Amino acid sequence: ATPVRQYNTSAYTDNRLIEYASKRGVSYNILSKYTMQLNDRNYTYIALPNEMGGYAVRNPHFKGQKGSNSFSFFRGVYSDDVLVFEGMFDFLSYYSLSDVKYSAVVLNTTANTKKALEVLRVAKNVHLFLDNDEGGRNATSDITQVIPHAIDHANYYSNCNDVNEYICNYRK
């Protein structure tokens, strides 16, 4: 078996990551609650842990994965409702708007849609906040075929590609 690589994660020490998140509409409280700084060689990233022990990672110059690729799941106080986001900044900026108490799934890539269905199937209410592009529409279709009661909220930000773009434009 291939050994699992251990990554060096920490609280945020790189102010450039905090500034980058802030420009993307993410409060420091939400950033530090759901993510951590990942240090890899000469680079630092905002790292969102996923269900397979890997991370979705971002910095101003890179968007990708470290370790195993999977979706991220966060159980909220109100676990009957699950909000589904395509990317970490959609999730983080939405949760920065108010103290959201619902559970959340972040796909981290639409390739993880089928993996996330295991969590979504047991939710009483599923709310989709996926991108307004081909990948987002395909993921919405894949989810609503299995969970017909899932509610697609993309019409609320139809003039933007995604939730994060909408929130960043709205804040201006």
Side-chain angles (χ1 to χ4, degrees):
T2 305
V4 176
R5 179 161 176 211
Q6 297 296 311
Y7 289 97
N8 176 10
T9 59
S10 65
Y12 285 94
T13 57
D14 188 338
N15 286 331
R16 294 171 300 181
L17 295 176
I18 297 166
E19 290 170 21
Y20 173 58
S22 177
K23 287 178 185 171
R24 299 290 305 266
V26 179
S27 72
Y28 179 76
N29 287 344
I30 293 297
L31 183 71
S32 59
K33 180 176 181 178
Y34 293 103
T35 70
M36 62 212 60
Q37 180 173 304
L38 187 144
N39 310 291
D40 188 23
R41 298 185 183 94
N42 296 325
Y43 302 99
T44 58
Y45 305 93
I46 295 168
L48 184 74
N50 70 38
E51 293 299 292
M52 297 289 294
Y55 301 91
V57 295
R58 291 292 298 267
N59 69 27
H61 312 290
F62 181 81
K63 174 182 180 179
Q65 303 283 328
K66 295 289 183 181
S68 297
N69 183 3
S70 188
F71 66 95
S72 302
F73 176 63
F74 301 96
R75 186 172 307 285
V77 175
Y78 305 122
S79 57
D80 282 352
D81 289 84
V82 178
L83 310 184
V84 183
F85 300 92
E86 194 167 320
M88 83 161 71
F89 277 110
D90 299 319
F91 162 69
L92 294 170
S93 59
Y94 186 93
Y95 274 56
S96 292
L97 291 176
S98 66
D99 190 18
V100 180
K101 302 275 194 235
Y102 301 115
S103 295
V105 165
V106 184
L107 296 177
N108 294 318
T109 171
T110 56
N112 291 324
T113 302
K114 287 183 177 33
K115 291 179 190 174
L117 287 173
E118 65 191 66
V119 170
L120 300 178
R121 276 191 180 103
V122 299
K124 192 172 186 178
N125 304 300
V126 176
H127 301 272
L128 305 176
F129 294 90
L130 302 177
D131 291 3
N132 282 314
D133 60 15
E134 185 179 358
R137 287 188 294 277
N138 289 341
T140 297
S141 176
D142 290 345
I143 293 168
T144 55
Q145 284 176 16
V146 176
I147 305 163
H149 64 276
I151 301 167
D152 179 11
H153 293 280
N155 60 313
Y156 290 112
Y157 48 93
S158 60
N159 58 332
C160 297
N161 182 56
D162 59 27
V163 171
N164 182 247
E165 181 183 322
Y166 177 79
I167 289 170
C168 288
N169 289 342
Y170 179 77
R171 287 182 333 143
K172 290 179 182 175

